[in-house]
Amino acid sequence: MGGTRARLDRLASHLTTDGLRAWRSTPFRLTLIYGTAFIVAIIVLLGAVYGQTADFLIRRVDGITRAESSRLAALRPEDLPAAIRLSIANDHLRLNSYGLFSRDGQRIEGDGPELPAGTPRDQTPRELVDHDGRSVRVIARVLPWGEVLLVGRDTTQLVELRRVLLNSLLWSGGAIAVVGFTAGVLLSRRSLRRLAQLEAASSAVVRGDLRTRMPLAGSGDELDLFALAINRALEEVEQLMLDIKGVADAAAHDLRTPLTRVRAALHRVSHVPDLPAVAADELDQAIEQLDGLLERFRALLRISEIEAQDRCAAIMPVGVSSLVEQALELYAPLAEEAGVTLVAQIGAPVTAEADGRLLFEALANLVDNAIKFSPPGGRVEIGLRTPPDGPELYVRDQGPGIRLEDRQHVLKRFHRGAHHAAAEGSGLGLSIVGAIVRLHGFSLQLDDAHPGLEVRIGLAAAWPSP
Amino acid sequence: MRVLTIEDDRATASVIADELTVHGHEVTVATTGRDGLALALSEPFDVITLDRMLPELDGLSLVRTLRERSVSTPVLMISALSDVDERINGLRAGGDDYLIKPFSPDEMLARIEVLHRRQAVAPPNQTELRVGDLVIDLIGRTARRGDRVEKLRETEFKLLEFLARNAGQVLSRRMIFEHVWGYFFDPGDNLINVYISALRKKLELPGERPLIETLRGKGYRIDGRD
């Protein structure tokens, strides 16, 4: 189990570092296997064709040679040299070769190849090479009077056939390899494109957009089946998430009417004349606490509302630099009062595709938090910079910061780090920022500012602007 | 003041009616959009509170119809939809102010009174505002207390003007943030408080009568009496 896990992790790290490569893809490997099998089949086929043809040709050559040899052997000794000369003269194509050798091996007549010493003269066909370098198949026999008769026939055709077949094998094999490789790359590119689409969709899901579905090609292939299965799972997950969110929202929604009524009742009682001072104080405190609770519900429902908003609704090009200036102007007096230096660092002007009012609400929340958690004499910097991977908006303070293990949690509803407990607020400021950032497809990062916290909003949307 | 409350949720309607009645206003409640429209067209009211989502005829269509028939009674739209776009839709249709549920009755009352006052007092060529010994020069953008003239920053001036125009009225931080700054989200307590403090530093010197009152958890008020 652990081994499998480690292998999968290794594989995943490969995939993430190298991306998907064509030569890793299944279609490419399959094409490679099929191509190899095809080439092997062609070798076998051409081999069989060659074997059959060569066998037939040799038998034919041997038949002709044997017949010619028998014809000459039947002649009388005195007629033989003349008959050999005549045969050579009539053989215009020089297909045959002849030789008549004396008992001690001296050539008497003919142009055929020398018979190597020790070769049996047993009428068995043999391959020899003549003085022109041609392959010749010969039959040698000892004549009744002791001389040796050799009749041969040219087999260059066979060599030619072997050459032709080998050539066709090389050419067709090469062509198959090239076509197969190209087809493999094309096929795998097609499936890789689909995998890339699936990968993009799953990244969107990972980012929290549960409404995303895996794209289907409509061909009903195995990738489609796989995507369908994932889509069904996503539907289930989305429904569950909606249910959970629904329960939370319903609680906030249902509780606020009775709470509003309780507040109204307390408010009425607090206006009763001649109320003892102690009772009036208690009532005021109760009302204040109820107001805090209602404020939290309001913020909670505000988050739901932002999350439910149509992404494209009010998104248009917004001058972010001017938002930073507005935030600086709005919060300067608050910072001064808290003894905190508030500065803005605006590099080049930046325009982002955003809902300007929501983005300002996010920025205001961040600046408000930064001032709230800054020690007196601290410094809060609101800034805009343009690193290569897209412009980003940041707010940096010198407060206690947020512990690494808490950073993900603070973006969730109602979470407040331990050191935040003393500060007022609904505890939902960063969650509202998180919801606004998610709505835009921006990125949000919390970092250690040594000391303090730096919150960065990456303004390059993760999806293309509408 | 005669107020028409058009609200289908009985609990909310009674919260509104109770709060207004306690403060001496006369309230008529309609529970559907049709009834509400009929009443608004036939009887004179000073202010109308209007739920955004109503059976039969929704709040947006209702206020649009009222404006088409030249009924200019100020309308406070009340809605569970807090989004700025919803607010803008409401105001564009003819609403005069927008209050988000859940609301505190104080704030609802304050908004109704601000609307009523805005309707009642709108002298055209006014050059100054007087509240007790405070005189605001609307042209020179200065404030005078006694014989002391204070130069105010733009935001301070807008804040003081808003408080003074609604003297005697408790104004919540949300109302102030919306009217003075034009932002529609909760700025938290501290932000507005700092601006109020700045005003106090200029307008409440030691020995002078306090001008701006803070009501914890409710908001701020300039006392209109001398």
Side-chain angles (χ1 to χ4, degrees):
Chain A
M1 196 61 201
T4 317
R5 173 90 216 173
R7 263 189 62 204
L8 283 177
D9 283 350
R10 240 189 346 265
L11 191 63
S13 80
H14 265 301
L15 286 178
T16 42
T17 48
D18 300 356
L20 285 163
R21 292 278 161 80
W23 52 268
R24 280 223 176 95
S25 75
T26 312
F28 187 82
R29 288 181 186 193
L30 279 179
T31 317
L32 210 64
I33 291 170
Y34 286 144
T36 312
F38 200 62
I39 289 174
V40 169
I42 282 191
I43 290 173
V44 170
L45 177 72
L46 290 181
V49 167
Y50 172 76
Q52 292 287 324
T53 315
D55 189 50
F56 169 75
L57 282 176
I58 282 173
R59 267 188 288 129
R60 197 164 154 262
V61 164
D62 289 350
I64 292 170
T65 315
R66 190 167 281 125
E68 186 69 357
S69 173
S70 300
R71 181 181 70 86
L72 291 174
L75 294 176
R76 283 173 298 179
E78 60 272 28
D79 297 334
L80 193 55
I84 289 176
R85 274 198 303 279
L86 183 66
S87 294
I88 292 175
N90 285 339
D91 180 19
H92 304 296
L93 295 175
R94 294 200 65 236
L95 282 177
N96 294 337
S97 41
Y98 302 87
L100 182 62
F101 300 92
S102 64
R103 223 178 255 275
D104 54 359
Q106 294 299 310
R107 185 186 292 267
I108 301 167
E109 190 55 76
D111 57 354
E114 296 294 330
L115 202 60
T119 314
R121 280 88 165 124
D122 54 358
Q123 299 189 26
T124 315
R126 282 194 176 71
E127 297 266 350
L128 287 180
V129 177
D130 72 2
H131 24 261
D132 295 337
R134 294 185 305 168
S135 291
V136 182
R137 205 160 160 88
V138 299
I139 286 177
R141 66 161 75 199
V142 182
L143 295 169
W145 53 91
E147 288 170 341
V148 175
L149 174 66
L150 181 138
V151 178
R153 195 171 170 89
D154 184 4
T155 56
T156 317
Q157 284 178 62
L158 259 180
V159 177
E160 191 64 20
L161 176 72
R162 210 176 294 150
R163 199 180 57 81
V164 166
L165 286 180
L166 196 68
N167 268 353
S168 0
L169 187 68
L170 283 176
W171 280 109
S172 56
I176 289 168
V178 168
V179 170
F181 186 85
T182 315
V185 167
L186 289 180
L187 281 175
S188 53
R189 194 178 289 171
R190 210 181 124 233
S191 80
L192 283 184
R193 205 176 308 132
R194 286 196 55 205
L195 281 179
Q197 289 168 348
L198 292 176
E199 211 260 330
S202 60
S203 308
V205 172
V206 169
R207 278 195 310 271
D209 184 5
L210 288 176
R211 282 174 295 189
T212 305
R213 290 291 175 269
M214 301 291 140
L216 298 177
S219 58
D221 62 0
E222 61 277 7
L223 278 181
D224 265 7
L225 292 179
F226 178 62
L228 268 176
I230 291 188
N231 284 349
R232 271 198 291 275
L234 278 176
E235 238 141 67
E236 196 66 21
V237 171
E238 189 190 4
Q239 193 51 51
L240 282 173
M241 292 298 290
L242 281 179
D243 288 350
I244 292 169
K245 205 166 88 65
V247 169
D249 290 353
H253 196 274
D254 292 351
L255 280 173
R256 54 182 192 172
T257 309
L259 282 174
T260 309
R261 251 180 273 163
V262 171
R263 194 195 181 285
L266 289 177
H267 179 68
R268 271 199 305 277
V269 176
S270 72
H271 282 70
V272 170
D274 305 326
L275 209 60
V278 185
D281 266 5
E282 289 280 334
L283 276 172
D284 277 350
Q285 275 179 28
I287 289 178
E288 209 171 296
Q289 281 172 7
L290 263 183
D291 282 344
L293 197 59
L294 283 169
E295 200 54 62
R296 278 185 155 214
F297 282 160
R298 215 196 290 237
L300 196 59
L301 292 165
R302 171 91 186 110
I303 293 172
S304 289
E305 214 172 47
I306 293 171
E307 284 171 347
Q309 211 175 45
D310 181 7
R311 186 186 294 159
C312 316
I315 290 182
M316 55 183 78
V318 170
V320 187
S321 332
S322 119
L323 293 187
V324 173
E325 280 160 10
Q326 282 177 54
L328 181 69
E329 195 189 321
L330 180 63
Y331 282 96
L334 182 61
E336 196 186 322
E337 170 96 357
V340 172
T341 315
L342 180 64
V343 292
Q345 295 284 350
I346 304 173
V350 167
T351 306
E353 294 286 330
D355 179 331
R357 293 166 308 209
L358 283 181
L359 192 56
F360 186 75
E361 184 176 343
L363 183 59
N365 260 303
L366 293 179
V367 176
D368 194 58
N369 266 343
I371 295 173
K372 203 182 286 173
F373 295 118
S374 278
R379 173 188 156 100
V380 171
E381 189 176 312
I382 322 170
L384 195 55
R385 57 186 167 213
T386 40
D389 50 343
E392 64 184 21
L393 185 60
Y394 67 91
V395 175
R396 188 190 303 146
D397 64 41
Q398 295 177 329
I402 297 177
R403 280 180 314 197
L404 193 60
E405 59 265 35
D406 283 341
R407 282 184 202 155
Q408 276 312 305
H409 300 299
V410 290
L411 300 175
K412 293 178 186 154
R413 302 179 187 194
F414 283 135
H415 185 278
R416 217 169 347 177
H419 54 281
H420 286 194
E424 52 125 305
S426 61
L428 288 164
L430 269 179
S431 314
I432 289 181
V433 174
I436 291 173
V437 164
R438 272 198 301 280
L439 174 81
H440 285 91
F442 293 160
S443 63
L444 181 63
Q445 261 190 309
L446 307 180
D447 256 329
D448 204 333
H450 306 287
L453 179 69
E454 180 175 291
V455 185
R456 285 198 303 269
I457 300 180
L459 296 171
W463 45 74
S465 54
Chain B
M1 168 164 60
R2 281 196 72 190
V3 179
L4 171 61
T5 292
I6 311 176
E7 169 69 64
D8 61 323
D9 175 43
R10 282 175 200 286
T12 311
S14 79
V15 168
I16 298 173
D18 290 355
E19 180 69 18
L20 291 172
T21 316
V22 164
H23 288 84
H25 304 302
E26 187 188 321
V27 183
T28 308
V29 176
T31 53
T32 68
R34 291 246 165 81
D35 293 350
L37 180 62
L39 276 166
L41 288 173
S42 56
E43 290 179 38
F45 290 98
D46 296 310
V47 177
I48 297 172
T49 78
L50 174 62
D51 190 22
R52 170 83 171 68
M53 289 194 275
L54 285 169
E56 294 176 14
L57 182 69
D58 75 282
L60 281 188
S61 315
L62 199 156
V63 74
R64 212 173 280 131
T65 312
L66 279 183
R67 298 307 182 230
E68 278 164 17
R69 306 283 179 85
S70 313
V71 177
S72 58
T73 315
V75 171
L76 172 64
M77 314 252 335
I78 299 180
S79 169
L81 305 170
S82 68
D83 199 73
V84 187
D85 292 327
E86 290 299 331
R87 178 189 304 273
I88 287 171
N89 287 341
L91 299 185
R92 217 170 257 164
D96 296 275
D97 197 4
Y98 197 95
L99 179 64
I100 298 153
K101 287 182 187 176
F103 52 86
S104 82
D106 312 324
E107 182 165 347
M108 187 265 313
L109 178 69
R111 284 181 190 262
I112 288 178
E113 287 175 344
V114 167
L115 281 181
H116 184 224
R117 183 167 295 121
R118 205 169 74 188
Q119 179 81 352
V121 200
N125 296 318
Q126 198 179 15
T127 58
E128 59 174 38
L129 267 175
R130 277 173 184 276
V131 183
D133 60 347
L134 172 73
V135 181
I136 303 175
D137 179 355
L138 294 175
I139 292 166
R141 313 294 262 182
T142 55
R144 200 171 76 228
R145 265 203 108 175
D147 8 302
R148 192 161 48 84
V149 176
E150 285 289 344
K151 193 93 190 113
L152 299 178
R153 287 186 194 171
E154 183 58 25
T155 319
E156 291 169 351
F157 183 83
K158 282 204 246 173
L159 176 59
L160 184 65
E161 185 188 350
F162 182 56
L163 287 166
R165 280 197 189 276
N166 296 289
Q169 182 68 55
V170 181
L171 301 168
S172 75
R173 60 170 196 249
R174 259 176 198 275
M175 288 170 75
I176 292 173
F177 203 44
E178 287 170 21
H179 278 89
V180 177
W181 279 270
Y183 295 124
F184 297 99
F185 58 92
D186 184 9
D189 265 330
N190 295 340
L191 187 68
I192 307 293
N193 211 11
V194 165
Y195 281 94
I196 295 282
S197 302
L199 271 185
R200 283 196 179 122
K201 265 183 213 141
K202 292 186 177 174
L203 299 174
E204 296 176 10
L205 294 189
E208 283 181 341
R209 192 172 62 86
L211 184 70
I212 305 168
E213 203 183 337
T214 304
L215 293 101
R216 255 190 98 190
K218 289 179 186 151
Y220 306 91
R221 171 169 69 188
I222 284 189
D223 198 340
R225 292 160 301 179
D226 285 308

